[in-house]
Every structure is written in structure tokens, then in C-alpha cells.
Amino acid sequence: MRIAVYSAKPYDREFLDAENKNRNFELSYFEDPLTIETVSYTGDFEAVCVFVNDHLDRDVIAKLAENNVKLIALRCAGFNNVDLAAARDHAIKVVRVPAYSPYAVAEHALALIMTLNRKTHRSFNRVREGNFSLNGLIGFDLNGKTVGVIGTGKIGQIFSKIMLGFGCTVLAYDPYPNKELIQAGVDYVSLDILYKRSDIISLQCPLTPDTHHLINQKALDQMKEGVMLINTSRGGLIDTKVLVGALKKGKIGHLGIDVYEQEEAIFFKDLSDQIVQDDLIMRLISFPNVLITAHQAFFTNTAMQNIASTTLGNIEAFQKGQFVNEVNVDRLAS
Ligand code: NAD
């Protein structure tokens, strides 16, 4: 089976090629993302393998169908970048990697919190320049703080347990509360209460039409002065323009994001010798209390191995007429 792998970075090739040794798919790698401009590459392929910032809207999917592509194999968990109804209408199956390492993402959320709080990134630079002063580096004890977790699925669950381990009070909001977490001491509350009481708020829910701009002006108004906000889920959960206003006023004391609303045009690219045209991210970068990583929360050896084996396993199952890890718009709706 011939598979067009889009948005392929050297590390994607490394892990997919290693996994393909026993499977012998014909993998063709394209560095470009899948968009309306690049969909023409798929003339000879039965499947496309895509990642978080490939753009599979109705027009792209119609072109895939014209080219006889039968399968969209996502090498990620989120599927907000795929028009699932269009895929169904064109009889193209969509499969994904529902979990590759929830630990990787939960631990990265913790890394953002620890760095923002204890400012180790600033200490590193200072000490290298012979500056051993502590001015401006003061943090707070995590022990005893209240952490609000929005979404307690695979990642949110692990993150909640990590925060309980630090001696934090953990509040959670999820339409489907998790009994094991309740037993462990997590308190499920309404979003309003979570916003009001939390010192740190971490977003661990998917981006859907319901959660788009979940963090808007109204939500921010309810939060504590100086709250720390962490987002490792999807950029569209936050209204970034409103966020800049809240940072300027000091309403948000710390912001840690691994995802960004307009990341499609900039993340996973080296733009260090170019003029970045995205004014919003440049404004965010200018705040000393903002830490941005470029969608790297998933990026561990364990996760990359799991992504490669599940992706090629999904494709192998499809060849046998089985739909493993399928994302189906009708089943989601019901
Ligand atoms: P999951 O499906 O296991 O859990 C999602 C949870 O969110 C579920 O419990 C669900 O009930 C809950 N939820 C749904 N709608 C909600 C709402 N309106 N408010 C609160 N909770 C809601 O997913 P997961 O594996 O834990 O991943 C969570 C998200 O993390 C993914 O959707 C993806 O966008 C993101 N993610 C990011 C990276 C990264 O590298 N930054 C990697 C993997 C996943």
C-alpha cells in the first residue's frame, strides 16, 4: 500500500521507517503540510498520513476522493483539523492514535508550571552570564495551592494525580466525572467555581465547537488575580486576543502554552532567520511571564514509538477491512 506522509520531519521518518521494517508499506515523505495547494501530491496514493496542522477541510477531502485516496491516518489524537462529515460523504475512512503517551503531555504541563513558577529558564541564562542575583526569581510553593483541571480524560487524569502528589487541592470540570479521581481526592465542580477558586488552571479537553474560545473574557473575569493558565491541548480553546489584554492588566500572572490558535503557519518550522508575520505570538513572546513551547508536549521517545506502531497498525487493519481507531462523525454525534 502506498502512503503519502505529510508534514514529515526527520524524527517522523526515523520512527515510521523503524516501525515499517516489519510491515513493508511504501511510505513517501513530504515535508509540506497537506493543504489545498499540496493535495495534488496524492495522485498515486491510497492513504495519507497527517499530523495536527495538516488542513483537511471539505475542499481538500474532495480532492483526496478524486485522487482515490481511501484512508486518512492521523498520527495524533486530536481530529479537529479534519472535516469528518466531508470524509464520510466521500467514503474516506479516518483513523487516529487515541493515546500514545498521556504521560508525555501531562508531564509537559507540569514542566511549564515548574518553569514559570521557579523561573529556572531565567536562572540558567543569568548564571551563564555570571549573574548570581536572585532578584525577580521568587516563586511560590505548589503545596497547598488549588489547581483546576478542565477535562479529565487520559491526560487530565494523569495530570490531576501528579498535582495531588504535590499536595495541591485539585478541582476538576468534565461532563463525565471519573470515579477513580473522585476517590483519589479530586473535587468535580462547575466551571464557574473552578475559575473562581483555582490558582492554576490547566486545559486538558479537546477542541470542539463547544469548547472553542472556552477561555474568553467572561471566563477570565471570573478567575483569580494573577492566575496561572496552562494550555497543552489545542490553541483554539483560548481567545488569544483577549488573553493579551488580561496579561497586560496582570489578571493572568503566568501563561504556559504548548499550543496556539494560529500555530498552523509557524509551529514545527525554523523561522529564526525570517521576520515572523504573526503579531499576536510576537506580543505573547514579549511578556516575561509567558512560556511558549511549539507543540512539543507529546514529544518523547515512548510517544513517537507508540505513534508509529499504532499508525501503521491502523493502516494494516484497514487493508484487512477492519477499522481500528476509527473516527466516525455519526458515532461521535450519537
Ligand atoms: P481524552 O479524549 O482522553 O479526554 C478528553 C476529556 O475531555 C474527556 O474526559 C471529555 O469528557 C472531556 N471533555 C469534553 N468536552 C469537555 C468540555 N466541554 N469541558 C471539559 N471537559 C470536556 O483526550 P486526552 O488524550 O486526554 O487529550 C486531551 C487533548 O489533549 C486532546 O484533545 C488533544 O487536543 C490534546 N493533546 C495535545 C498534545 C500535545 O502535544 N500538546 C498531545 C496529545 C493530545
Side-chain angles (χ1 to χ4, degrees), residues 77-78 80 96 98-100 102 105 150-156 173-176 191 204-208 210-211 214 232-234 258-259 295-299:
N80 51 287
R96 67 172 181 141
Y100 32 89
V105 184
I150 302 182
T152 52
K154 290 177 285 296
I155 296 168
Y173 172 77
D174 191 306
Y176 304 97
L191 269 182
Q204 311 289 0
C205 61
L207 176 62
T208 64
D210 282 348
T211 60
L214 179 76
T232 57
S233 286
R234 284 293 180 268
D258 184 54
V259 286
H295 212 133
Q296 74 175 74
F298 73 99
F299 200 44

Side-chain angles (χ1 to χ4, degrees), residues 180-247:
E180 193 195 321
L181 282 186
I182 295 172
Q183 275 166 5
V186 171
D187 197 3
Y188 279 89
V189 294
S190 68
L191 269 182
D192 292 351
I193 292 182
L194 185 146
Y195 291 148
K196 273 189 197 111
R197 290 203 202 143
S198 301
D199 301 299
I200 299 171
I201 295 176
S202 183
L203 306 180
Q204 311 289 0
C205 61
L207 176 62
T208 64
D210 282 348
T211 60
H212 181 253
H213 285 185
L214 179 76
I215 304 302
N216 53 21
Q217 190 63 57
K218 191 170 164 236
L220 286 164
D221 286 345
Q222 295 177 72
M223 294 179 195
K224 283 188 180 182
E225 286 297 312
V227 65
M228 179 188 285
L229 183 62
I230 302 293
N231 186 10
T232 57
S233 286
R234 284 293 180 268
L237 293 173
I238 300 181
D239 183 341
T240 318
K241 284 195 183 124
V242 165
L243 200 64
V244 168
L247 280 159

